[in-house]
Amino acid sequence: MRFQLLGPLALADGPDTVVLQPSKPANLLAALLLNANSTVSAGYLQRAVWGEEQPATAKAALQTCVLRLRRLFAKHGVTGTAIEAVPGGYRIVAGPPTLDLLAYRDQVRRATAMDHDPEAELYTLRDALSLWQGALLANVRSAVLHRDEVPRLAEERLRVVERVCDLLLGLGRCGEALVDLWTATRVYPGHERFHEQLIEALYRSGRQSQALAEYRRVKDFLREELGVDPSPSLRRLELSILRGEELGPVGQAALAASAPGRAAPVVAASGEAVGSGSASGEVVGSGSAAGAVVSRVVRGETVPQPDAETPGSEPAPAPGPDPVPAPDPATIPTLVTAPVPTSARAPVTAPAPAPVTVPPGAATGAPSAAGACAPFADAGVGPVPGVPHFTGRAAEAEAMAARLTAPPPTGPADHRALAVVVSGAPGIGKSALAQHVARQVGDAFPAGRLLVRMTRADGEPRTADEVAAALADALGATGEGRALLILDDVVDADQVRPLLTPGGPPGTGPGLAVVVTSRMGLGGLIATHGGWVQRLTAFTEAESYGLLLAALGAERVEAEPEAAHRLTAVCGHFPAALRILTARLLTRPGLRLADAVDWLGDDPLARLTLTDSPGHSVTGLFDRALDRLDPRLSQAFTHLAQGPPELLADGGPEHEGPVPEAVREQLADAGLLEDGPPGPYRIHGLLRAHVRRTARIRDRRTEKV
């Protein structure tokens, strides 16, 4: 069971969610969870529940609310989390696995430690932001919490969104940044940093006129609504655009300055500074007799930094017109709702940014002739990683290796045949097989082997032009001879065709071998470019058992062979499910496999997830696959999965009628239907169970407490 605060207050168990109706106990639960693991005074809780004007019986009524919450916990099987009565108030104990707010802050802390790896930091921060599920505490009717707590939590999120956009700009992924920034600037029109990032992203993408139009729009808004001029950094950015200057790469110092861990001072409601802000944004000093101390995250002033011209910094003015004077700090709009002492706003001297090394062949940040955003780091292209505990697929791996190491096909000079298309259901092990074979045949490709991720972490497909530009840089540094490319998670044939034109991507030599992995069958690509197809299905029983042996060790598995076989059966011999299961069992070395069978069998879909990384789950995998479908196909698949197996037959039940063969073919091509028997098609048991369960809980239940 998991508490959800980052949206409507709710209790969640896997995909099952109970959204609490507005009530006094809901106010109390929200106040406790916002200060989880800390003592919260009874006085503050009473104000959170009833407001500043409390009834005479508030103290006794507070105890009644606590009892009602404890009954709710018992009803829904909440274990490991309890409301404790402590001297002066109450406390609720929770951790990242049981409270989304703590999971979010834990993810942000881990991302802050990854500032040496922007890609990993970006992925971790986006994983953290995915925990936000809508308007904060929309079903909690507490004026105190909405006044004191909601703005603070919203500010935590804004700082992470800023950091994500800075990372995207630093990595040269302006198109992705624009998606987030268009929304952010419209939702928060007075947030100048978002406007600055949006204007920079537009300019770096070669859209100079749009960048200037956006500057004029925010300038008019600030003058008309707030009576202030744009910040000096915004005005300098406009001047650079008018001059057509190169902005230069987004330096690591600028990225570090925007990291969530580099927080502004935290100031108590009294105005006294109580320490520096942390990535967690925890409340300082809550639970006193006079009520919890409400902290404020204060936005810091712009810090001058010499010899740099990066977003968020104050570089030395360029030669030309006189520098624009900085406005009076009192005129700068702020999100703080309480008075802030001058001492808390004093600028802090920051170190000068370190020099940034730009990779050979990478653009320097000015708009290119093609209007593309300059790739400061490779866009999803890198060496082929190893696959831990790879087992099974012996026949498939042998056939793929033979196909890849065969001499290049003879024929016209402009002919490029695909080597292999690996297709199959989501989570069936396509990428693992391709990477494993690529590392096996390394000697046949002296020019190197590259993994090209054709889909971003957010599920959006990369464009062929974007991938070609990244490949030109990556392949330019390789040696002579044949090279091997794995185009991983291709969405459709049109995404990959431009990369297989005569001559291929820039930097590729003759005899380039290409492996494409895709959930789609890509029959059209095979028809036009040739090649060989390897369609993957679920593991055999022996392969599933072999994966448990490799991952858990022979000593543990062979001590309970029958239980091990039962575990693989509960997982449906589905590779992704088995991987998640073994990861969970490795973190619990004392758990007997026989006990794990009962634990998993109670609710396999809810248990096949990694608690410290909710994005790694069977249900999430299936949801993302279904989200890619055309809505009409998705509706048809839901109908098939909820109905009897006979729906998949050519005739179908008399009272239902057949599902058109063309629809079934499209679903099979998307990897959602497997070849029979019985009948021409079947749906994997886990996928069928997921669709039925999702349909039951599509409309969130509400419950009064």
Side-chain angles (χ1 to χ4, degrees):
M1 186 65 68
R2 182 182 180 88
F3 294 99
Q4 292 182 344
L5 271 178
L6 304 180
L9 180 62
L11 302 178
D13 184 9
D16 290 318
T17 303
V18 176
V19 179
L20 304 184
Q21 288 187 352
S23 63
K24 298 295 189 294
N27 293 357
L28 172 61
L29 179 59
L32 289 170
L33 290 173
L34 285 165
N35 299 280
N37 306 314
S38 299
T39 299
V40 187
S41 71
Y44 179 75
L45 292 175
Q46 290 169 21
R47 288 197 300 277
V49 174
W50 286 279
E52 300 298 342
E53 297 183 4
Q54 303 164 29
T57 59
K59 185 175 181 180
L62 183 64
Q63 296 174 351
T64 301
C65 288
V66 171
L67 290 175
R68 290 172 65 182
L69 286 178
R70 287 171 175 164
R71 292 194 195 103
L72 177 72
F73 291 178
K75 176 181 178 180
H76 289 284
V78 176
T79 58
T81 302
I83 300 176
E84 302 172 348
V86 295
Y90 292 90
R91 177 177 62 206
I92 192 168
V93 178
T98 56
L99 178 58
D100 60 354
L101 176 60
L102 297 183
Y104 168 77
R105 289 171 172 168
D106 184 61
Q107 287 278 78
V108 172
R109 275 193 293 268
R110 291 199 291 116
T112 303
M114 299 175 181
D115 53 2
H116 61 286
D117 186 349
E119 282 280 5
E121 183 181 0
L122 175 63
Y123 181 84
T124 305
L125 288 178
R126 281 194 155 168
D127 198 25
L129 288 173
S130 69
L131 296 173
W132 291 72
Q133 299 295 319
L136 281 169
L137 303 182
N139 56 335
V140 174
R141 304 291 189 260
S142 170
V144 170
L145 296 181
H146 282 276
R147 180 194 68 198
D148 297 340
E149 300 291 350
V150 169
R152 177 173 60 83
L153 291 177
E155 184 66 13
E156 286 188 47
R157 181 179 179 276
L158 288 181
R159 286 171 52 199
V160 171
V161 174
E162 280 184 18
R163 175 64 174 174
V164 165
C165 293
D166 273 335
L167 287 167
L168 288 171
L169 290 174
L171 293 168
R173 290 152 63 172
C174 298
E176 290 180 62
L178 285 172
V179 174
D180 295 330
L181 289 168
W182 282 121
T183 301
T185 53
R186 273 50 184 175
V187 175
Y188 304 100
H191 196 100
E192 288 187 73
R193 178 63 184 137
F194 285 147
H195 289 287
E196 187 176 342
Q197 291 172 316
L198 174 60
I199 293 167
E200 181 182 350
L202 288 168
Y203 182 53
R204 289 184 183 276
S205 301
R207 296 153 71 172
Q208 182 179 15
S209 60
Q210 282 185 268
L212 291 171
E214 182 63 22
Y215 175 82
R216 289 192 292 271
R217 196 188 71 81
V218 67
K219 179 181 178 181
D220 292 343
F221 171 82
L222 292 172
R223 285 182 172 177
E224 293 173 7
E225 299 294 329
L226 303 174
V228 298
D229 287 324
S231 65
S233 57
L234 261 176
R235 283 179 275 175
R236 272 189 295 275
L237 180 58
E238 182 210 21
L239 186 60
S240 295
I241 295 173
L242 289 171
R243 291 172 170 174
E245 297 174 346
E246 294 183 358
L247 298 182
V250 179
Q252 293 302 312
L255 293 179
S258 70
R262 279 70 168 178
V266 174
V267 179
S270 64
E272 179 182 358
V274 292
S276 60
S278 68
S280 66
E282 293 174 355
V283 177
V284 180
S286 64
S288 66
V293 177
V294 181
S295 66
R296 298 287 192 270
V297 178
V298 182
R299 298 190 56 77
E301 300 292 323
T302 308
V303 182
Q305 294 184 10
D307 303 325
E309 192 162 323
T310 54
S313 65
E314 298 289 335
D322 293 333
V324 181
D328 188 315
T331 67
I332 299 179
T334 177
L335 298 179
V336 181
T337 58
V340 181
T342 305
S343 61
R345 297 198 304 262
V348 180
T349 303
V356 179
T357 302
V358 181
T364 59
S368 66
C373 184
F376 303 127
D378 80 42
V381 178
V384 177
V387 181
H389 311 307
F390 184 88
T391 57
R393 310 291 192 202
E396 293 90 338
E398 183 179 356
M400 278 185 63
R403 177 73 56 170
L404 291 172
T405 55
T410 58
D414 62 352
H415 177 70
R416 180 187 303 283
L418 278 173
V420 183
V421 171
V422 184
S423 62
I428 206 67
K430 303 178 291 294
S431 300
L433 176 62
Q435 293 169 27
H436 174 71
V437 173
R439 291 176 68 89
Q440 278 189 322
V441 299
D443 292 343
F445 299 96
R449 296 150 293 163
L450 292 176
L451 176 67
V452 185
R453 302 195 184 279
M454 302 296 289
T455 308
R456 301 186 183 97
D458 61 1
E460 289 297 312
R462 298 181 188 276
T463 65
D465 289 343
E466 178 185 351
V467 173
L471 279 173
D473 291 337
L475 288 169
T478 61
E480 298 295 328
R482 296 187 73 193
L484 172 64
L485 297 183
I486 299 177
L487 305 181
D488 190 45
D489 198 13
V490 169
V491 174
D492 54 37
D494 290 338
Q495 186 190 19
V496 73
R497 276 198 182 100
L499 301 174
L500 302 173
T501 55
T508 60
L512 176 74
V514 179
V515 176
V516 171
T517 74
S518 178
R519 298 172 188 175
M520 306 300 293
L522 303 183
L525 189 66
I526 295 296
T528 57
H529 288 73
W532 176 70
V533 179
Q534 179 63 67
R535 184 83 173 181
L536 300 184
T537 59
F539 275 163
T540 64
E541 186 174 348
E543 288 174 327
S544 298
Y545 188 80
L547 176 57
L548 261 61
L549 282 172
L552 302 179
E555 182 179 356
R556 186 175 183 185
V557 174
E558 291 178 350
E560 300 179 81
E562 183 181 351
H565 282 291
R566 290 168 59 198
L567 276 175
T568 63
V570 174
C571 291
H573 305 292
F574 199 72
L578 291 166
R579 289 282 182 186
I580 293 171
L581 171 68
T582 55
R584 295 208 66 174
L585 291 176
L586 284 169
T587 64
R588 302 179 66 182
L591 180 66
R592 296 175 59 249
L593 298 188
D595 295 332
V597 173
D598 297 332
W599 164 77
L600 181 63
D602 288 341
D603 193 350
L605 287 173
R607 304 281 162 76
L608 288 172
T609 184
L610 301 181
T611 55
D612 62 339
S613 183
H616 292 83
S617 67
V618 170
T619 56
L621 179 71
F622 290 157
D623 281 336
R624 290 189 292 272
L626 293 172
D627 286 344
R628 284 192 188 179
L629 283 181
D630 179 277
R632 290 171 296 180
L633 280 180
S634 180
Q635 184 177 6
F637 182 71
T638 300
H639 175 61
L640 287 170
Q642 290 183 270
E646 292 77 17
L647 271 179
L648 293 169
D650 289 332
E654 292 182 4
H655 63 284
E656 292 277 2
V659 173
E661 182 180 0
V663 172
R664 288 179 287 154
E665 283 287 337
Q666 286 178 285
L667 291 171
D669 191 58
L672 298 176
L673 297 184
E674 302 175 345
D675 293 337
Y681 303 108
R682 70 176 187 276
I683 300 176
H684 191 279
L686 283 178
L687 183 53
R688 184 185 289 275
H690 170 71
V691 173
R692 289 178 173 178
R693 182 174 183 174
T694 302
R696 288 197 305 269
I697 63 171
R698 184 176 295 113
D699 298 324
R700 285 184 165 184
R701 297 178 289 129
T702 61
E703 181 161 342
K704 186 175 180 180
V705 295

